[in-house]
Amino acid sequence: MECQEEKPIIYTMENKPIVTCAGDQGLFTSLYTSLAQQLPREPMEWRRTYGRAPKMIHLEANFVQFKEELLPKDGNKALLTFPFLHIYWTDCCDTEAYKSTVKEDMMRWQNSLRTHGSADWVIIVVETNDTKKKNKTNILPRSSIVDKIRSDFCNKQNDRCVVLSDPLKDSSRSQESWNSLLLKLRTLLLMSFTKNLGRFEDDMRTLREKRTQPGWSFCEYFMVQEELAFVFEMLQQFEDALVQYDELDALFTQYVLNFGAGDTANWLGSFCAPVNNWSGLLLRRPIDMEKRDGIQRGEASLLDLRSYLFSRQCTLLIFLLRPWEVTQRALELLHNCVQELRLLEVSVVEGALDCWVFLSCLEVLHRIEGCCDQAQLAANCSHTVGLWAYATDKLKSLGELCGLVSEKGPTSEDLNRTVDLLAGLGDERPETVSSLQSPYKKLKEALSSVEAFERHYLELSHAAMEMYRAISRLRSARLVGKSLAEFYMKKGDPEKAEAFLQEALKSYVSEGWSLPVTHTRKQIAECQKLLGRTEDYLQTSALLAGDANLTMEERKHFCQEILTFAGKSEDQSDKVTLSMGVFSQLTRLQFQPATASVHSGAVLQVEINLRCLMPVSVHIQQLAASIHFDLERAGTNGRSKGAARQTIPGTVEFSHDTSSAGPSSSSGGPPLELEEIQDRSPTDNSLNSTGVVCKNTHLVMRLPESISPPDMPNCVSPPAVTLKEGAQMLKVQDVTLEPGNNSITFTAPSGQPGTYTLRQLFATVGQVQFVLPHIYPSVQYEVYSQEPQLTVEPLSEPLLAGLSQMVKFTLLTGHYTVKKGDALQLSNTDTMPILPSSSCSARISNPTGELVGESALSIQSSEKVTSISLPATPPYHTLEFQLEVLCIIPSGSDCPPNERLTNGEVRHRPRSYSHPDTPMTAIDQRMSIDCPWSIYSTLLALTFYIPFKTKHSLLSAGNRKYIQLESLNTKTQQLLCSKHSLFCLWEVRWQDDLPSCLQCVFSTNFSPLKQDVSAFKPFQYQFQLERVTTLYSVRAEILPPAGEQNCRSGFLCGLEVCITRLTEPAEGEIAEDSKTDTEGLKTTKLMYEVADSSSNWAVCGKSSGMVSMPMTADATHKVQIEVMPLFAGHLPFPKIKVLKYLPHTAAVAIQPDPDSCVENDSLSLLDKALDDGGDTASIRSRGSVHSVGSGDQQQRGVAMPRLEPFSPGQVFNHIHTQQVLVLPATDDHIMEVNAT
């Protein structure tokens, strides 16, 4: 919009509170300038009634000469002409003059005020030095005149008489006097305001409460409350003034709504008169006196009242520097006025309301432009764009009404209507006569010709769209564009119209507006048909033919458009390719067999379900699907049909959105949360109105994050699709699709192994081809070529060694055809022979598991090889048979030479091991099989488990020796049950010297339960015993403290350990660890250790040490150790361990103690190590050979002695089962017992 030639007048309220001045007018005139200038300089706090917040205001006054006509008459409620304060001026200092003239004049002045009930007055006595000098003989002191005035007129109100000293001089006394006077005037004015405004508000409130009475008039009340608004505006309290107009607005609106609900008011009849003038809002005058007079006389129309009320609100909002609120209120006003005219059933000439709205929109925009610069307008276009769009819409309506939009132009009737509308505008207002771009001139010019209308309409439309785009309100911009498209369609320009319609369609589809999508597509189809774009038109027609929002007749019409084009001969037109999604939807695809994986040459059927969107049956010449073949992923490596290959689903479901608004309408956005709202009357609770509100508008109306795929049937404009024909395709001829679900079956190619992926689906209907460019989710099936596979697995778990077991051979023939005469060659082994069987048959089954045939096997065995002749078996079948094998339990002593398998590989002796999942000992048996389809041998392994777990132990009782055998059965359903043990005990006796090593063999027979004696199988367990002779005997005795018969807990006791040599040393023992002392005796060093793991004893002092034992029979060594029992009772003896001490051959020789039977306490290297390392060194060395010394010394190569435990049975300890009685420390326990 261009700038105005002249800025509109910004109105400032010039009315001021009236203050009358009586008395000496010359005196007042001399002081008027100073008084008028100084009064508003200082603000005063205005405290109002009813708890309203105080405000700081600057007081001004309109000083006028006192006249009795200015005093308010009874019934006059005008506040603008009300004198709020009355002042009497005098500078009299002469007693005679005061008595003769001044006093009488004052009395007449006060009587007039009293007669009219005015109590707001003040007397100002001005004192100057010139007056004193002039009347020096007759004057009285100033205080005397003031006192006389106060006694005569201010008996109880002494503050109503004020003295102003030397007002025209520049002195501190004069300034102080002025300040006192000004403060008094401001205070009296505020008091008068508060009192009179309060009285006025009470009267106004009383009048408003009478609104239900028959004679009440809104126009009269309007003038009363506006008077209050004028007073607030006069005091520059614009916010309070605006509140008064808002209350009037709300009151009138409520009466109109009540009228629409049936509650009428008599005074509303004047506002129901026909509208004769629609000149729009007038915002360039501070007060539209013409409309105000009409309201005061009760002759104003609804538009006049609304226009005047809004113009006053606009003026006050601009005073408050809130111009953007003006635009918001203006948009609400224009919409509400349209509704109020309908509610009041006001007769309006067709098009008149559009003229009024258009002019009002432009008037508000001009008013805002007059008080804001261009930068502010650009930054706040979000506030004004609504008015631009509304004006555009109303101008379009006027153009259509006046025939300015049609291709033929306006008719005579249209011209007459245009003349009537322009006549209702009246004459242009004086404020806009000089403006070239006034709303009046714009409207008159736009309705004058087709070209002018088009220019103005396009200007407004593009301005509104640019503003909407600038504030990111794309929906609104596209809505304006859609309106512009309708304009172009009526003007016969479908090319420009389609561009705007496509933009609007994008918005509707992305946000899921079903009905607008359908309506816009119909318009697009009309454009495309006029432009001759056949392919686009057929595409849109297909979308509309499947749109459920259209009637069946409309759908059939668009479907017939497609079929008509499809039925043309080939020489009339070329083929057209359309998107399959607009014609039908692929809903389901299923393979037979369901695994979607077959071997080469097998039959694979594909059943697809199509949901036809057309309203009638459609005959399809050919329905086909292109296939992409991938050889690199072919299954030719002998993989199994199941787990080894990737899992391909046999049934694929395709999800589609059924609404015509696009996929985002159901899956891309949240559902609507609707709630019913009702407006009921507060008096009788009757229903005034009802509606539906969306609770999650902020989620539903947001822009979508992603756009739906372009090949979906509900897309805006499906892209061009290309048909990619491949060498292999699924085809079916002459198919008729009925409306709704249809099922079509294809036979898929499966000749070459590989992966087949369905890429495209297309249907041919005459000259029209519907193509689905991408099938998603991806659909594929696999054709495999499988190598033969031979597997051997036990018939029952686990396989037991020593018993005949059945194993199952399974041959998957794959692509190989087993011919008559083909045989499997199995290598024979001594540890697992194949047992002969009189009857052995093979079962042949097809890929689905159905039994095809059964044939007897021919098995021939030789020394090295067992040959199994196979029956003839077709490819991709399964051949199964069973053989009986026996795994020999290894005795443990036989070590046969290594054998070689049939493939030349060395057969190693099977080793037994403990399996982690079972306590049984496992044996792996490997076999080599030569197959006719391969030049390589197949190596297979079977795991057998020994049913018994046997172990032995050597027990001693002094010199007597016993061998104990424990046999643990781990197989269920046997006489010796699972997890049970069988113990056998033998005493070992010998006549001569016992050998150093005993070879033993345990032999027994076993068989499964419920079998006769002939089925028993042998089982042997071999073991050997070494160093079984008892060399030493250990005895111990615990001695109580001196003077005590028994040990007591907490007291030291003596532990005497006696180590005795029982036998003479053998030759090997002498050579191994003996030495010769000074007396020629053979000795050996032993280490003893006393420890108590049960914490019953505390060993005091040294708990371990080394002794030198003579290697002769009955040699004894005793050790004294102090121990302390920690508990009372029969306590077991502390544990006593004896270990060998083996000095290293390179160790430095240590001179033995002369007393070889005395404990070595000082020279023992072992004791030194024990003292340094603690008493638990022997515990850490238990069960193995250790060196006594640090690891650093060993790493440096220093020879260190070591400890070695004795073999089982070499040391017999007599104290294992001994106990000793320990008494408590004291018996004098005291127990307190309370009895109640």
Side-chain angles (χ1 to χ4, degrees):
M1 181 180 291
E2 298 181 4
C3 297
Q4 305 173 14
E5 293 182 355
E6 59 181 5
K7 297 290 183 179
I9 300 173
I10 303 298
Y11 172 78
T12 56
M13 179 58 65
E14 297 180 356
N15 292 332
K16 299 177 183 178
I18 296 177
V19 177
T20 64
C21 297
D24 191 347
Q25 296 297 322
L27 176 64
F28 165 72
T29 303
S30 64
L31 300 177
Y32 171 76
T33 304
S34 299
L35 182 63
Q37 291 178 354
Q38 296 186 50
L39 182 63
R41 286 183 181 177
E42 296 295 332
M44 290 290 289
E45 184 181 27
W46 185 19
R47 295 183 177 275
R48 303 181 60 192
T49 57
Y50 298 106
R52 285 173 282 193
K55 294 183 179 181
M56 302 298 293
I57 61 174
H58 292 266
L59 291 172
E60 294 182 277
N62 182 16
F63 296 96
V64 298
Q65 184 177 357
F66 174 79
K67 294 180 181 179
E68 192 170 353
E69 292 80 8
L70 295 176
L71 296 177
K73 306 295 188 299
D74 293 338
N76 186 5
K77 299 184 181 301
L79 288 176
L80 293 178
T81 59
F82 182 83
F84 289 93
L85 185 63
H86 305 276
I87 304 177
Y88 190 93
W89 296 86
T90 181
D91 59 351
C92 177
C93 295
D94 188 352
T95 307
E96 296 299 329
Y98 170 74
K99 291 181 179 180
S100 62
T101 58
V102 175
K103 181 177 179 180
E104 293 180 0
D105 191 39
M106 283 186 182
M107 291 180 66
R108 287 194 299 270
W109 173 70
Q110 276 214 341
N111 290 333
S112 299
L113 296 180
R114 193 176 298 110
T115 302
H116 293 84
S118 297
D120 299 310
W121 54 270
V122 65
I123 299 174
I124 301 177
V125 179
V126 180
E127 179 190 33
T128 60
N129 292 329
D130 295 339
T131 305
K132 292 180 180 180
K133 294 177 180 178
K134 185 177 180 180
N135 303 308
K136 192 171 184 182
T137 58
N138 298 325
I139 63 172
L140 294 173
R142 178 172 59 91
S143 58
S144 299
I145 295 294
V146 173
D147 291 341
K148 282 184 173 291
I149 294 175
R150 286 176 177 171
S151 63
D152 294 338
F153 301 100
C154 309
N155 292 329
K156 298 181 179 180
Q157 296 175 315
N158 292 331
D159 59 336
R160 293 300 181 98
C161 183
V162 182
V163 178
L164 179 61
S165 302
D166 297 327
L168 299 179
K169 289 187 177 181
D170 187 10
S171 62
S172 59
R173 182 170 178 268
S174 175
Q175 187 62 39
E176 181 181 355
S177 179
W178 268 112
N179 292 339
S180 176
L181 174 63
L182 293 173
L183 179 61
K184 174 58 68 174
L185 291 179
R186 295 186 189 116
T187 304
L188 291 175
L189 271 175
L190 276 182
M191 291 172 59
S192 179
F193 285 151
T194 304
K195 179 179 63 176
N196 290 285
L197 284 182
R199 185 185 301 117
F200 185 87
E201 287 179 334
D202 292 339
D203 295 340
M204 183 187 71
R205 195 175 298 109
T206 303
L207 180 61
R208 185 172 57 203
E209 291 173 354
K210 295 179 181 179
R211 63 185 180 274
T212 57
Q213 297 179 4
W216 189 84
S217 173
F218 175 80
C219 294
E220 295 179 4
Y221 176 76
F222 181 93
M223 306 309 293
V224 172
Q225 188 158 1
E226 189 185 28
E227 189 78 18
L228 181 62
F230 284 155
V231 172
F232 284 125
E233 189 174 1
M234 178 179 64
L235 298 176
Q236 297 185 357
Q237 300 301 307
F238 303 116
E239 188 70 42
D240 291 328
L242 181 62
V243 169
Q244 308 309 314
Y245 286 109
D246 289 344
E247 289 180 356
L248 288 171
D249 189 351
L251 181 62
F252 185 79
T253 301
Q254 186 61 48
Y255 269 104
V256 174
L257 294 177
N258 293 343
F259 182 87
D263 185 7
T264 60
N266 295 330
W267 56 266
L268 273 174
S270 61
F271 296 99
C272 297
V275 176
N276 298 321
N277 182 281
W278 42 87
S279 57
L281 295 175
L282 179 59
L283 305 180
R284 301 168 188 245
R285 299 176 185 172
I287 300 178
D288 190 348
M289 295 305 298
E290 294 179 7
K291 290 186 173 59
R292 187 175 188 276
D293 292 342
I295 297 172
Q296 190 172 9
R297 294 193 305 267
E299 299 174 357
S301 65
L302 176 68
L303 294 183
D304 293 338
L305 175 65
R306 284 299 186 185
S307 299
Y308 176 77
L309 191 57
F310 181 76
S311 66
R312 296 297 300 134
Q313 292 171 326
C314 175
T315 301
L316 294 172
L317 286 172
I318 292 178
F319 284 156
L320 291 170
L321 303 179
R322 286 150 58 180
W324 310 119
E325 190 175 340
V326 174
T327 61
Q328 177 186 352
R329 287 179 175 234
L331 198 58
E332 295 176 359
L333 167 75
L334 298 178
H335 286 286
N336 290 338
C337 280
V338 174
Q339 299 301 323
E340 288 175 352
L341 288 172
R342 294 176 182 175
L343 288 175
L344 296 178
E345 300 176 357
V346 177
S347 176
V348 184
V349 177
E350 186 179 7
L353 199 55
D354 295 334
C355 292
W356 183 80
V357 172
F358 177 79
L359 293 172
S360 299
C361 288
L362 295 188
E363 178 69 13
V364 174
L365 292 173
H366 276 267
R367 186 70 178 89
I368 298 302
E369 289 177 357
C371 59
C372 299
D373 55 24
Q374 292 298 324
Q376 290 177 320
L377 291 173
N380 294 275
C381 61
S382 61
H383 298 90
T384 60
V385 66
L387 293 173
W388 285 101
Y390 202 19
T392 304
D393 184 57
K394 291 305 175 182
L395 184 60
K396 179 186 175 184
S397 300
L398 287 173
E400 293 174 349
L401 182 66
C402 298
L404 300 174
V405 179
S406 62
E407 298 181 26
K408 299 179 181 180
T411 62
S412 59
E413 184 180 355
D414 296 332
L415 294 176
N416 292 331
R417 186 180 295 111
T418 304
V419 172
D420 293 339
L421 290 176
L422 293 178
L425 299 180
D427 297 331
E428 188 173 5
R429 293 157 181 168
E431 292 84 3
T432 61
V433 169
S434 59
S435 175
L436 298 178
Q437 294 294 328
S438 65
Y440 181 87
K441 292 186 176 67
K442 277 193 174 184
L443 179 59
K444 196 169 183 179
E445 182 182 359
L447 297 181
S448 63
S449 65
V450 175
E451 294 77 10
F453 173 81
E454 183 175 354
R455 185 178 70 256
H456 283 284
Y457 176 69
L458 293 179
E459 178 186 353
L460 290 175
S461 298
H462 288 290
M465 283 194 297
E466 290 299 326
M467 291 182 186
Y468 276 131
R469 291 193 182 102
I471 59 177
S472 300
R473 289 180 58 180
L474 300 182
R475 298 187 187 93
S476 300
R478 289 169 179 169
L479 185 61
V480 176
K482 189 172 182 294
S483 178
L484 195 58
E486 295 173 355
F487 169 77
Y488 281 122
M489 284 292 295
K490 293 180 179 179
K491 295 291 290 183
D493 192 353
E495 186 174 0
K496 292 182 180 178
E498 188 190 10
F500 289 107
L501 290 174
Q502 292 287 1
E503 285 294 321
L505 185 61
K506 287 181 182 178
S507 177
Y508 297 148
V509 169
S510 63
E511 297 172 8
W513 299 102
S514 174
L515 291 176
V517 164
T518 303
H519 181 261
T520 308
R521 278 181 180 155
K522 288 177 62 178
Q523 294 175 315
I524 292 175
E526 184 180 355
C527 294
Q528 293 169 344
K529 188 174 183 179
L530 293 174
L531 292 172
R533 297 213 296 267
T534 304
E535 185 172 350
D536 293 338
Y537 174 66
L538 293 177
Q539 186 78 53
T540 307
S541 297
L543 283 167
L544 293 171
D547 196 330
N549 291 322
L550 294 178
T551 63
M552 186 58 66
E553 289 74 14
E554 291 177 311
R555 294 178 60 191
K556 288 181 180 180
H557 165 72
F558 287 108
C559 182
Q560 190 61 41
E561 292 283 302
I562 302 172
L563 297 179
T564 301
F565 178 84
K568 294 180 180 179
S569 59
E570 296 184 4
D571 56 351
Q572 289 180 338
S573 61
D574 297 331
K575 283 191 175 183
V576 175
T577 302
L578 304 179
S579 173
M580 173 72 79
V582 302
F583 172 69
S584 63
Q585 293 178 349
L586 179 61
T587 59
R588 191 168 182 265
L589 188 145
Q590 185 175 6
F591 288 99
Q592 289 291 340
T595 56
S597 178
V598 296
H599 59 80
S600 57
V603 177
L604 177 66
Q605 291 186 337
V606 182
E607 179 184 356
I608 66 172
N609 290 344
L610 287 176
R611 182 168 66 246
C612 181
L613 302 177
M614 297 295 104
V616 296
S617 301
V618 180
H619 179 73
I620 299 177
Q621 284 77 22
Q622 177 178 280
L623 183 64
S626 63
I627 297 176
H628 173 73
F629 175 69
D630 189 358
L631 181 61
E632 295 180 358
R633 299 166 63 184
T636 58
N637 297 326
R639 297 171 295 180
S640 64
K641 293 185 292 182
R645 286 194 299 270
Q646 60 177 343
T647 302
I648 299 177
T651 302
V652 180
E653 300 286 346
F654 301 89
S655 60
H656 297 279
D657 178 35
T658 57
S659 69
S660 64
S664 62
S665 63
S666 63
S667 59
L672 293 175
E673 296 182 8
L674 302 178
E675 183 179 1
E676 180 185 5
I677 57 173
Q678 295 181 351
D679 180 24
R680 294 186 177 274
S681 173
T683 56
D684 56 355
N685 199 31
S686 60
L687 182 63
N688 294 334
S689 63
T690 183
V692 177
V693 64
C694 179
K695 297 172 62 178
N696 59 339
T697 311
H698 61 292
L699 298 178
V700 177
M701 300 299 293
R702 65 182 179 182
L703 289 176
E705 298 178 356
S706 61
I707 303 301
S708 57
D711 58 342
M712 297 298 290
N714 297 319
C715 61
V716 177
S717 179
V721 292
T722 57
L723 177 62
K724 301 177 182 178
E725 294 192 6
Q728 303 186 69
M729 304 187 71
L730 303 178
K731 294 182 180 181
V732 64
Q733 305 292 333
D734 296 328
V735 177
T736 300
L737 293 183
E738 300 292 338
N741 295 325
N742 299 267
S743 178
I744 301 98
T745 302
F746 299 88
T747 300
S750 59
Q752 188 176 359
T755 301
Y756 296 78
T757 304
L758 276 65
R759 291 293 177 85
Q760 291 182 331
L761 181 67
F762 56 93
T764 303
V765 182
Q767 298 300 307
V768 180
Q769 202 164 40
F770 297 95
V771 178
L772 180 62
H774 304 287
I775 298 179
Y776 183 83
S778 179
V779 178
Q780 57 183 234
Y781 65 92
E782 183 181 12
V783 177
Y784 59 89
S785 176
Q786 184 178 1
E787 294 293 332
Q789 293 184 358
L790 178 65
T791 57
V792 181
E793 54 187 355
L795 200 61
S796 61
E797 290 285 353
L799 291 176
L800 297 179
L803 299 175
S804 59
Q805 303 287 292
M806 298 299 294
V807 294
K808 179 182 178 182
F809 287 73
T810 303
L811 172 61
L812 303 178
T813 58
H815 64 81
Y816 181 76
T817 302
V818 180
K819 301 174 290 295
K820 187 177 181 180
D822 288 348
L824 299 178
Q825 306 293 331
L826 280 69
S827 59
N828 293 338
T829 61
D830 294 337
T831 57
M832 191 187 71
I834 297 176
L835 303 181
S837 177
S838 58
S839 61
C840 183
S841 61
R843 295 165 54 89
I844 303 173
S845 56
N846 60 13
T848 61
E850 298 178 0
L851 182 63
V852 176
E854 189 170 356
S855 176
L857 289 179
S858 176
I859 302 176
Q860 297 178 358
S861 299
S862 63
E863 182 181 357
K864 296 290 187 180
V865 177
T866 296
S867 178
I868 304 174
S869 298
L870 302 176
T873 308
Y876 298 102
H877 279 58
T878 303
L879 178 65
E880 297 178 346
F881 59 90
Q882 299 176 6
L883 294 181
E884 187 176 8
V885 298
L886 176 64
C887 177
I888 306 300
I889 298 177
S891 61
S893 59
D894 298 333
C895 296
N898 290 336
E899 303 174 354
R900 290 186 178 274
L901 302 175
T902 56
N903 62 351
E905 183 180 348
V906 177
R907 175 187 291 280
H908 299 282
R909 172 183 173 85
R911 296 188 302 172
S912 61
Y913 62 92
S914 294
H915 197 275
D917 297 334
T918 176
M920 293 187 290
T921 302
I923 302 174
D924 287 338
Q925 293 286 357
R926 300 174 63 192
M927 67 172 64
S928 173
I929 304 177
D930 292 336
C931 305
W933 55 82
S934 176
I935 61 174
Y936 302 103
S937 298
T938 301
L939 297 179
L940 300 174
L942 291 174
T943 300
F944 290 84
Y945 295 92
I946 301 176
F948 297 101
K949 186 174 182 180
T950 307
K951 59 183 179 181
H952 69 280
S953 59
L954 179 65
L955 305 178
S956 301
N959 289 326
R960 301 177 68 179
K961 301 295 179 181
Y962 300 89
I963 299 176
Q964 177 179 278
L965 268 170
E966 178 186 0
S967 181
L968 177 63
N969 173 35
T970 57
K971 180 69 176 68
T972 60
Q973 300 300 324
Q974 301 245 349
L975 183 59
L976 186 58
C977 299
S978 174
K979 306 293 179 67
H980 287 190
S981 299
L982 178 65
F983 291 90
C984 300
L985 187 66
W986 292 272
E987 183 178 0
V988 181
R989 297 182 180 179
W990 55 89
Q991 296 178 353
D992 300 328
D993 293 338
L994 185 65
S996 60
C997 180
L998 290 178
Q999 296 291 337
C1000 304
V1001 178
F1002 171 70
S1003 179
T1004 185
N1005 293 328
F1006 70 97
S1007 70
L1009 190 62
K1010 299 180 181 178
Q1011 291 191 10
D1012 54 8
V1013 179
S1014 61
F1016 275 85
K1017 305 295 181 181
F1019 171 73
Q1020 288 186 346
Y1021 173 71
Q1022 297 183 4
F1023 62 93
Q1024 66 181 15
L1025 299 174
E1026 297 179 353
R1027 299 179 179 178
V1028 299
T1029 306
T1030 303
L1031 300 180
Y1032 296 97
S1033 171
V1034 178
R1035 298 179 181 274
E1037 184 179 2
I1038 296 179
L1039 304 176
E1044 296 287 343
Q1045 294 182 356
N1046 299 99
C1047 299
R1048 290 187 178 274
S1049 60
F1051 290 87
L1052 290 177
C1053 302
L1055 173 64
E1056 183 179 76
V1057 181
C1058 179
I1059 304 175
T1060 304
R1061 175 81 184 194
L1062 300 180
T1063 60
E1064 294 292 339
E1067 294 182 0
E1069 185 183 1
I1070 296 176
E1072 181 180 358
D1073 55 4
S1074 64
K1075 289 187 178 181
T1076 304
D1077 58 6
T1078 54
E1079 297 180 1
L1081 296 175
K1082 296 291 185 180
T1083 62
T1084 183
K1085 292 187 180 294
L1086 302 178
M1087 198 278 288
Y1088 69 88
E1089 179 185 13
V1090 178
D1092 183 30
S1093 60
S1094 59
S1095 301
N1096 291 326
W1097 300 88
V1099 181
C1100 302
K1102 187 165 58 176
S1103 62
S1104 60
M1106 189 184 70
V1107 297
S1108 295
M1109 285 292 296
M1111 299 185 65
T1112 59
D1114 298 330
T1116 302
H1117 185 87
K1118 293 184 179 180
V1119 179
Q1120 297 288 340
I1121 300 174
E1122 289 185 340
V1123 296
M1124 179 187 294
L1126 302 178
F1127 303 98
H1130 290 276
L1131 302 182
F1133 276 49
K1135 293 183 179 180
I1136 301 173
K1137 298 180 181 179
V1138 178
L1139 302 173
K1140 294 181 185 178
Y1141 174 78
L1142 301 179
H1144 198 275
T1145 55
V1148 180
I1150 301 176
Q1151 295 296 330
D1153 197 322
D1155 187 6
S1156 59
C1157 293
V1158 178
E1159 180 181 2
N1160 188 346
D1161 292 332
S1162 59
L1163 299 178
S1164 172
L1165 180 62
L1166 175 64
D1167 286 339
K1168 183 177 184 300
L1170 291 173
D1171 291 339
D1172 296 339
D1175 293 343
T1176 60
S1178 60
I1179 298 177
R1180 293 194 299 268
S1181 64
R1182 178 174 53 188
S1184 60
V1185 178
H1186 294 272
S1187 296
V1188 182
S1190 66
D1192 295 338
Q1193 290 174 332
Q1194 293 182 15
Q1195 292 176 2
R1196 292 195 299 267
V1198 179
M1200 298 298 297
R1202 55 197 176 92
L1203 299 174
E1204 180 180 345
F1206 285 97
S1207 300
Q1210 286 187 312
V1211 177
F1212 182 74
N1213 202 329
H1214 292 267
I1215 67 170
H1216 279 323
T1217 59
Q1218 286 185 340
Q1219 293 181 337
V1220 63
L1221 177 61
V1222 178
L1223 299 179
T1226 57
D1227 294 332
D1228 52 350
H1229 295 291
I1230 299 175
M1231 178 182 298
E1232 294 183 2
V1233 179
N1234 294 327
T1236 59

